[in-house]
Amino acid sequence: MMNLTSPASVRQDCRLIGQTLLKLALPRLILRAIVIAVALIVWYLVASWILDFGKRMNYDFLHTLGQPTMDMAQKVNPYIWWVVAGIWSLIVFFLVRAWFYASLASGAATPVGTDVLAGLAPNLSEESLGVLRWTWGDRQEPFTVGDLRRSLSELRHNRIGKIDMVAEQARILESGANRPTRDPRDDGRPPVRGETRGDRYVEPRIGPAR
């Protein structure tokens, strides 16, 4: 079993990766904060306008239906416009949420610059670099921010120890596979007269065995 990196070294590697992720994500974080702030302002202004419009709503145009109908409409009027404001709030919420998740997915799929990776790799331990290589997988696509984020999470959850355990278990199983195979017909019992045992033949005998 290999000599694993010390916990202090792993924490240092996690700190370096976290700092790199923050630098890479900072522009998107600022953009998300601005978009969400603008969406909240627009939501508040429109919701306030809806409620103010409802307060000024006059139902005199229902005079042909009688005074009781006008009174009923005036009584439920505040609830009607609160429902409208609630529908507007749901529309804004789902639009912002959909945009936010799309932004997260786009950010995770962003490739890490070669210069950024070249500056980070020499400062990491070999075991932590092994976790980054493990996260990268089959390497059909460039190493992304999402890969780096997952590497940080895996380091914090002892992926180094798991990789070492996998290697040790593979060595155990491979060494077992290299042992000579036993004839499946050999059950450990002594041969009986007339019975073949692999390539060995025991001649049948008449009379007591000598």
Side-chain angles (χ1 to χ4, degrees):
M1 193 175 280
M2 67 180 177
N3 185 20
L4 298 181
T5 305
S6 67
S9 179
V10 173
R11 287 194 295 270
Q12 176 65 19
D13 291 344
C14 289
R15 186 161 44 250
L16 290 173
I17 294 174
Q19 292 171 354
T20 302
L21 280 171
L22 181 59
K23 292 177 182 177
L24 293 173
L26 189 58
R28 286 185 178 272
L29 291 175
I30 295 174
L31 176 62
R32 289 168 191 161
I34 292 173
V35 170
I36 291 174
V38 171
L40 286 174
I41 292 172
V42 172
W43 165 79
Y44 176 77
L45 292 176
V46 174
S48 298
W49 178 85
I50 290 172
L51 295 176
D52 290 340
F53 179 81
K55 290 177 182 178
R56 298 191 303 267
M57 188 67 181
N58 193 324
Y59 291 94
D60 290 342
F61 63 90
L62 297 177
H63 66 277
T64 56
L65 300 177
Q67 188 63 38
T69 302
M70 294 174 58
D71 293 340
M72 178 60 70
Q74 199 65 43
K75 185 176 181 179
V76 301
N77 178 68
Y79 303 104
I80 293 174
W81 295 103
W82 273 106
V83 169
V84 174
I87 293 173
W88 162 248
S89 300
L90 289 176
I91 291 172
V92 172
F93 171 76
F94 284 111
L95 286 176
V96 172
R97 189 179 72 163
W99 174 85
F100 181 75
Y101 285 153
S103 178
L104 288 177
S106 176
T110 302
V112 177
T114 304
D115 55 337
V116 175
L117 207 56
L120 175 65
N123 298 313
L124 300 178
S125 64
E126 179 58 33
E127 288 79 7
S128 295
L129 286 174
V131 173
L132 266 67
R133 289 191 289 267
W134 177 88
T135 304
W136 197 3
D138 58 6
R139 308 182 187 183
Q140 296 297 315
E141 297 293 335
F143 193 85
T144 64
V145 173
D147 293 329
L148 192 60
R149 188 182 302 147
R150 186 185 176 194
S151 298
L152 178 58
S153 175
E154 293 290 346
L155 277 172
R156 289 172 173 169
H157 290 84
N158 193 31
R159 176 54 59 182
I160 291 177
K162 294 175 183 177
I163 291 175
D164 179 57
M165 181 181 293
V166 168
E168 184 68 17
Q169 291 173 342
R171 283 193 293 269
I172 292 172
L173 295 179
E174 288 170 2
S175 64
N178 293 329
R179 289 183 301 182
T181 58
R182 193 178 74 177
D183 192 321
R185 293 170 295 177
D186 185 2
D187 57 2
R189 294 183 293 107
V192 180
R193 292 193 301 271
E195 175 184 338
T196 57
R197 181 65 51 80
D199 295 332
R200 176 182 165 196
Y201 178 79
V202 179
E203 185 69 27
R205 297 177 182 179
I206 301 176
R210 296 179 180 179

